Amino acid sequence: MTTATRSEFDRGIALTRHPEEAGRYEAELGAGWQVGGGVNGGLLLAVAGHALSLEHGQHPDPVSISGYYLSASTPGPATVRTEVLRTGRGLSTGTASLSQDGVERLRVVASHGDLATADGEVRTTATPPQLPPPDQCIGVEHAPRQLIEQAALLERFDLRLDPATVGWALGQPSGNGRIQGWFRLADGREPDPLLLLLVADALPPVTFDLGLPGWAPTVELTVHLRAKPAPGWLRVVHSTRNVAGGYFEEDAEVWDEAGRLVAQSRQLARVPR
């Protein structure tokens, strides 16, 4: 194996290098990462990003990564094939393709660097979301049973949603298109750049807050990483401003325990049917 396997997330993105084909890795997508019948898109992006991290060597961290979701992934074996397009002093760029039984599920283009060499300062005019303390937010244990049954991955999370943004769970969506809360893994694994790829797609779809229940399949997801996250809780906010033609965008910000904006993302997804 090429990763530590103590955490369920590490097991979820673990890869075995193919003994004969260069740039090829084998993965096992776990049933515990399912949502709405498929494997979570953020977890898939982390698998592909991990494969490219191994290929790039001295550039282990995704800095900008974009994935196009071509078909729904299912629990079971998967193959990731990578190609390094360019290796530079500060960044390396490559592509990755994740497939199952010869059917391509995800195509990724990414640039990797070494976030450990950055000074860690993040200058931004954005402000972190104002949240009640985690113990005053709504935990997964309060989620409707039918929601957990459709999203097994929620049991992998210690997710505490801001009470001001969960009216949809009571049949009273605000219509603002915003969901925010605290995030960490249930098994206590500390955040790192690969985990941030999962976090960018971890909250319920913001369309819930628009009165549009149901799971929203991702078409494309891009994540920009700014710094290595500090240990501890992450503050996450997802929002949308546009629903048109059966699609909506979902913007995410991820803030670490030190108050830094460590990741941003935007995805295009289909409106729930």
Side-chain angles (χ1 to χ4, degrees):
M1 303 296 288
T2 55
T3 61
T5 56
R6 288 195 302 171
S7 166
E8 192 166 1
F9 174 72
D10 290 319
R11 294 195 299 272
I13 66 168
L15 297 167
T16 301
R17 192 184 296 270
H18 194 275
E20 298 177 359
E21 184 178 337
R24 174 177 170 176
Y25 298 87
E26 304 301 329
E28 183 71 25
L29 304 180
W33 300 102
Q34 282 183 284
V35 55
V39 177
N40 171 261
L43 189 280
L44 296 175
L45 198 65
V47 171
H50 182 204
L52 286 168
S53 295
L54 296 173
E55 285 297 298
H56 291 316
Q58 76 273 23
H59 295 146
D61 304 316
V63 174
S64 176
I65 182 167
S66 297
Y68 285 82
Y69 296 82
L70 307 177
S71 57
S73 299
T74 57
T79 297
V80 183
R81 288 181 169 87
T82 65
E83 180 183 359
V84 175
L85 302 179
R86 177 183 180 274
T87 300
R89 294 180 60 185
L91 286 176
S92 294
T93 300
T95 65
S97 172
L98 187 151
S99 62
Q100 292 182 298
D101 296 323
V103 178
E104 189 170 21
R105 306 299 196 191
L106 173 66
R107 179 72 64 91
V108 165
V109 178
S111 290
H112 280 54
D114 185 357
L115 293 176
T117 63
D119 61 14
E121 182 181 9
V122 179
R123 299 183 183 182
T124 178
T125 59
T127 56
Q130 298 303 303
L131 302 173
D135 61 2
Q136 296 179 25
C137 290
I138 308 300
V140 172
E141 68 273 13
H142 300 297
R145 192 66 238 171
Q146 62 269 29
L147 181 62
I148 299 296
E149 290 172 353
Q150 295 179 53
L153 83 166
L154 291 178
E155 296 182 300
R156 268 84 241 156
F157 302 162
D158 186 357
L159 180 62
R160 314 286 182 90
L161 295 180
D162 183 352
T165 66
V166 295
W168 50 269
L170 303 174
Q172 300 173 355
S174 75
N176 294 326
R178 184 181 181 95
I179 299 177
Q180 60 189 27
W182 300 92
F183 178 96
R184 63 184 179 186
L185 286 178
D187 62 14
R189 183 196 190 275
E190 296 292 359
D192 65 6
L194 288 176
L195 180 61
L196 294 180
L197 303 184
L198 170 68
V199 178
D201 193 39
L203 269 59
V206 290
T207 42
F208 282 22
D209 193 43
L210 298 177
L212 299 170
W215 295 107
T218 301
V219 176
E220 184 270 344
L221 171 60
T222 294
V223 185
H224 294 164
L225 289 89
R226 306 301 189 185
K228 281 183 174 292
W233 286 99
L234 298 169
R235 278 178 284 180
V236 189
V237 54
H238 285 191
S239 62
T240 188
R241 295 187 296 176
N242 302 286
V243 178
Y247 298 89
F248 69 99
E249 92 283 348
E250 183 171 274
D251 294 321
E253 293 180 353
V254 183
W255 300 77
D256 72 358
E257 192 78 69
R260 298 175 305 163
L261 179 62
V262 291
Q264 296 168 271
S265 72
R266 167 168 283 190
Q267 67 172 283
L268 181 70
R270 291 205 297 264
V271 173
R273 297 175 181 173

